[in-house]
Structures are given as C-alpha cells and as structure tokens.
Amino acid sequence: MGVITYSQEFKSAIAPSRMFKALIVDSHNIIPMIVPEGIKSVEFIEGEGGAGSIKKTYFAESSPIKYTKHKIDALDVDNCYCKYTLIETGVQFDKIDFVVYEVKFVAVDGGSVCKMTSEYHAKEGCELKEDDIKQGKEKAMGLVKSVEEYLLANPDVCA
C-alpha cells in the first residue's frame, strides 16, 4: 500500500483561533449553516469532539458522496492543531483505503495561514495520481474561502 502526501497552505485575513474554531471545533454547527447547498448536517456519533470522537458529515442530495466519517486522532485547541482520519464514506473509492489529515493554523500579519497535510493511503496494488485527489483539494480550498468570507461578514462569530 502506497502513501501519497500533499501539503497546501491557505492564507486568511482571519485570526487563527477563529478559523480553527469555525473549521474544526465548531464545524458541526457552522459549516452546514454556511454551505447548506453542499453539507446538510454534521453530528458526533461517538464522543463530544475531542480526540477519539467520530464525526459524521451528511452531504446534500446533489452530492455523489452521501456521507463521510472522520475520527479525530488529536486535537490541540490552544495551538490550533488537529489530526483526523477519513475512515468511511458513502461511496466506495476505487484506489483510496483511507486519508489522514493534519491541520494547523498559525498567526501571520494580523491573519493566519492554514497548513494542511493530507496523506492518501492507496489500496493494495493501486497507484494514486494527482488527478485522483484533485477534486477533494479544490473542495477543501472552496470551503476555507467560504468560512473566511462568513467570518469577515460576521465578526462576532467564533470570536
């Protein structure tokens, strides 16, 4: 089983603690409100949000993926860091066994930078290419931008 690792960074005008809270800590409340056309709801099916919790995300009817389950492996709110694993989806991936994400927000110039690393673990005998994961990376970037716009327009949210 091969592992492909991708790293990306997103700059934001929003402080790291607010972005982290909106995208990670309080995402089950915030994200369905911001992008209801993409995400219907998010709930914890195990735990209450800390390490070991499992979060299930239900996508809109138009999505080819109906749900995902993520296990929170590590959560450090003070340092705006989270590690979590995609453990199940409503769609069978041809080549991907599971995905591990690490997210860290750091302060820069009055805003923040989100540093995200994704490890795609290929199924035995499969080879992953950039095109196999490009759509997921683009959706992640779109979600971050939507959350940033929402927080800019609503300065009291996640303050």
Side-chain angles (χ1 to χ4, degrees):
M1 171 172 68
V3 177
I4 304 267
T5 302
Y6 287 98
S7 295
Q8 51 191 351
E9 292 188 359
F10 310 105
K11 290 185 180 180
S12 173
I14 305 294
S17 60
R18 286 187 70 210
M19 286 295 287
F20 186 75
K21 186 172 182 185
L23 282 165
I24 305 293
V25 177
D26 204 23
S27 63
H28 56 289
N29 294 317
I30 301 274
I31 291 177
M33 183 176 57
I34 295 174
V35 288
E37 69 283 356
I39 295 175
K40 194 175 359 178
S41 65
V42 181
E43 67 180 352
F44 288 103
I45 58 173
E46 285 185 31
E48 296 179 12
S53 296
I54 296 178
K55 189 184 324 189
K56 187 171 185 178
T57 302
Y58 296 92
F59 293 89
E61 299 300 323
S62 60
S63 175
I65 297 175
K66 298 303 171 202
Y67 74 90
T68 58
K69 288 183 184 176
H70 291 93
K71 181 176 184 182
I72 300 172
D73 302 309
L75 181 67
D76 183 343
V77 176
D78 293 335
N79 291 301
C80 299
Y81 170 82
C82 184
K83 181 178 180 179
Y84 59 98
T85 303
L86 173 67
I87 57 172
E88 185 181 318
T89 72
V91 170
Q92 186 69 29
F93 289 127
D94 293 338
K95 299 178 180 181
I96 298 171
D97 192 19
F98 63 94
V99 184
V100 178
Y101 302 94
E102 283 192 79
V103 181
K104 170 95 174 131
F105 287 87
V106 294
V108 237
D109 301 326
S112 62
V113 170
C114 171
K115 298 178 180 190
M116 180 181 238
T117 302
S118 308
E119 291 180 357
Y120 293 82
H121 294 255
K123 289 183 177 178
E124 192 66 44
C126 292
E127 181 181 341
L128 289 174
K129 295 186 170 63
E130 173 109 21
D131 286 347
D132 296 325
I133 60 173
K134 186 177 181 183
Q135 185 179 13
K137 288 172 58 176
E138 289 170 358
K139 285 187 178 190
M141 173 75 98
L143 180 62
V144 169
K145 286 296 174 196
S146 294
V147 168
E148 178 186 41
E149 290 170 10
Y150 180 79
L151 293 176
L152 283 169
N154 299 278
D156 293 337
V157 174
C158 297

